[in-house]
Amino acid sequence: MTANPADTSLWPAPHATGAVDATVHVPGSKSVTNRALVLSALASEPGWLRRPLRSRDTLLMADALRAMGVGIEEGVGPNGTGETWRVLPAGLRGPATIDVGNAGTVMRFLPPVAALADGEIHFDGDPRSYERPLSGVIDALRVLGARIDDDGRGTLPLTVHGGGALDGGPVEVDASTSSQFVSALLLSGPRFNQGVEVRHIGATLPSLPHIRMTVDMLRSVGAQVDTPESGGEPNVWRVTPGALLGRDLTVEPDLSNAQPFLAAALVTGGKVLVPDWPTRTTQPGDRLREIFTEMGGSCQLTEYGLQFTGSGAIHGIDVDLSDVGELTPGIAAVAALADSPSTLRGVAHLRLHETDRLAALTKEINELGGDVTETADGLHIRPRALHGGIFHTYEDHRMATAGAIIGLAVEGVQIENVATTAKTLPDFPDLWTGMLGSDGA
């Protein structure tokens, strides 16, 4: 695989000269922000989002909803800051053209919304978005009554011919490649005439916590949802038709984006405090507390947030990451610096993410002197003495932060196109250097 030749800028990854000791305010969750935007746009009354994430993916979502007629006002509200968005639902309408970038939430969550619009909604995006699976959403929407033109590709670009409403009802979907197929149908389900019954028929279902997040957020705005966990059938989710309420929602910090900062404490034997870490959450990133503790750290959840402390040692791990696949690049980076081998399992679906993350991690770590091999569903990592070099990112934000983690312990690592972190973590370079301090630690 090759890196994008257009992105040739190199960022010298800071090398830590001692143990970090920092407080890092992690921006809001992308997953929560984009789900909240969709639910607020479909509500029957205005709502507020406080501390929303402002990143490429969330701004693409906001702009897409605006293009369909939804009002999203920034910088209004009681505190008068730019950290508050007011969402004003309106009659969804076309024609409109939606740029999804390379955002899975935008390309998958919005076609069902577009089916409720009155008019044509055209979807397009970055070249990589054409390669990401979308047939689960397209085929399901057709079963539910939508008209979609995709020239039989099952991918972008495509056009949804919105009819102002959608019948809904029961549908089968194979979400083995992305749990977002299920979430996409559930989020708009309350607005379908018959609601929706989504039956997953695939062999595996990755990232189940993200479906739980979708269900929790639906219930918080008044939707009735039956799930396998609430006594329903296995792999079946039912959403009853009904009006959604406008809510005043404060977005949690993005726990997955906290990963590189917690990793910094682990790698340098230091400590990092992440304020406002929730005591209860459906975010997959919360599992970092368990995984990074097993790899050699310790953590304490207090009223101020999560304090994570490294012990000065990094241990290998054998772990199933099927529910938290997005954490794989950062865990692989830490594992490459450990004192024993690691096996990361259950993440074959990462080959279909922003890039083929398994191939990319193998290539980039090995080119720094590592010993990583791909397995059928993950990676096997044998720690080796690493050296400096260029760490390519393939326009993947989590590859960039993985390279930065390695750079803490290995001098001379240069991250190609670190700006790709703006997808979900704006100002990452400034946050990273701020954590390290002016003297590098």
Side-chain angles (χ1 to χ4, degrees):
M1 54 194 306
T2 59
N4 186 337
D7 297 317
T8 57
S9 58
L10 299 177
W11 181 64
H15 179 66
T17 57
V20 301
D21 185 354
T23 296
V24 180
H25 291 269
V26 177
S29 164
K30 176 203 73 173
S31 299
V32 172
T33 300
N34 274 357
R35 282 166 173 78
L37 282 170
V38 171
L39 291 172
S40 298
L42 296 174
S44 58
E45 56 192 353
W48 298 91
L49 269 69
R50 304 188 188 278
R51 299 185 194 170
L53 175 67
R54 288 182 56 85
S55 71
R56 187 186 186 212
D57 280 17
T58 61
L59 294 175
L60 285 168
M61 179 68 84
D63 287 345
L65 292 168
R66 287 187 182 111
M68 287 189 278
V70 177
I72 301 175
E73 300 175 351
E74 302 180 35
V76 297
N79 58 5
T81 74
E83 294 184 351
T84 302
W85 292 355
R86 189 178 187 216
V87 182
L88 304 168
L92 300 168
R93 62 181 185 274
T97 297
I98 304 300
D99 176 13
V100 309
N102 191 20
T105 52
V106 182
M107 72 179 72
R108 291 164 182 155
F109 291 178
L110 288 189
V113 177
L116 296 168
D118 187 5
E120 291 188 1
I121 310 294
H122 182 67
F123 290 83
D124 209 338
D126 297 353
R128 171 63 180 172
S129 72
Y130 292 11
E131 303 171 23
R132 300 186 68 182
L134 197 54
S135 59
V137 174
I138 295 170
D139 294 345
L141 285 174
R142 286 180 175 142
V143 170
L144 297 174
R147 288 180 54 216
I148 301 175
D149 291 337
D150 67 336
D151 293 331
R153 291 181 304 270
T155 63
L156 292 170
L158 60 86
T159 299
V160 178
H161 299 272
L166 196 67
D167 290 340
V171 65
E172 294 183 343
V173 60
D174 183 348
S176 299
T177 56
S178 177
S179 69
Q180 289 176 352
F181 295 169
V182 174
S183 287
L185 299 168
L186 298 182
L187 286 168
S188 292
R191 288 285 303 273
F192 300 163
N193 294 338
Q194 302 173 42
V196 71
E197 176 188 287
V198 181
R199 184 179 299 270
H200 166 59
I201 58 170
T204 61
L205 184 57
S207 303
L208 190 58
H210 277 123
I211 297 180
R212 295 191 185 109
M213 176 187 293
T214 298
V215 170
D216 274 12
M217 293 186 68
L218 275 161
R219 287 172 173 162
S220 75
V221 295
Q224 181 179 329
V225 189
D226 295 323
T227 70
E229 293 86 355
S230 60
E233 294 180 59
N235 293 322
V236 177
W237 294 263
R238 295 184 180 89
V239 179
T240 302
L244 298 179
L245 306 173
R247 290 295 197 203
D248 187 330
L249 173 71
T250 298
V251 178
E252 299 172 355
D254 192 313
L255 306 188
S256 294
N257 278 342
Q259 181 181 38
F261 305 101
L262 302 184
L266 190 56
V267 169
T268 69
K271 59 183 179 181
V272 168
L273 172 68
V274 179
D276 302 317
W277 193 286
T279 55
R280 178 192 175 276
T281 181
T282 52
Q283 287 192 62
D286 193 46
R287 197 168 160 212
L288 286 167
R289 293 190 289 158
E290 167 198 336
I291 294 170
F292 277 172
T293 295
E294 187 173 342
M295 296 186 80
S298 61
C299 63
Q300 183 179 11
L301 191 57
T302 72
E303 60 182 308
Y304 304 108
L306 181 73
Q307 179 164 296
F308 189 84
T309 306
S311 64
I314 308 169
H315 309 310
I317 192 170
D318 187 329
V319 61
D320 184 338
L321 299 175
S322 55
D323 277 354
V324 291
E326 66 197 51
L327 304 180
T328 301
I331 293 170
V334 173
L337 305 170
D339 57 15
S340 58
S342 294
T343 300
L344 313 184
R345 309 176 185 276
V347 287
H349 60 285
L350 295 190
R351 295 187 170 100
L352 299 169
H353 274 220
E354 281 82 345
T355 188
D356 179 340
R357 285 178 171 166
L358 300 184
L361 287 164
T362 300
K363 179 177 182 294
E364 298 308 316
I365 295 175
N366 286 350
E367 288 193 352
L368 299 182
D371 184 0
V372 182
T373 54
E374 284 192 61
T375 65
D377 72 338
L379 299 172
H380 188 61
I381 302 167
R382 303 169 193 82
R384 296 285 186 269
L386 302 181
H387 55 71
I390 297 174
F391 196 94
H392 299 99
T393 61
Y394 310 89
E395 300 184 56
D396 185 335
H397 55 131
R398 300 207 192 278
M399 287 296 296
T401 53
I405 292 168
I406 293 174
L408 290 173
V410 180
E411 290 192 70
V413 174
Q414 298 183 81
I415 311 296
E416 171 252 1
N417 188 25
V418 73
T420 194
T421 53
K423 176 182 171 69
T424 64
L425 189 53
D427 305 321
F428 169 74
D430 289 342
L431 284 169
W432 196 245
T433 54
M435 171 194 68
L436 292 169
S438 59
D439 61 352

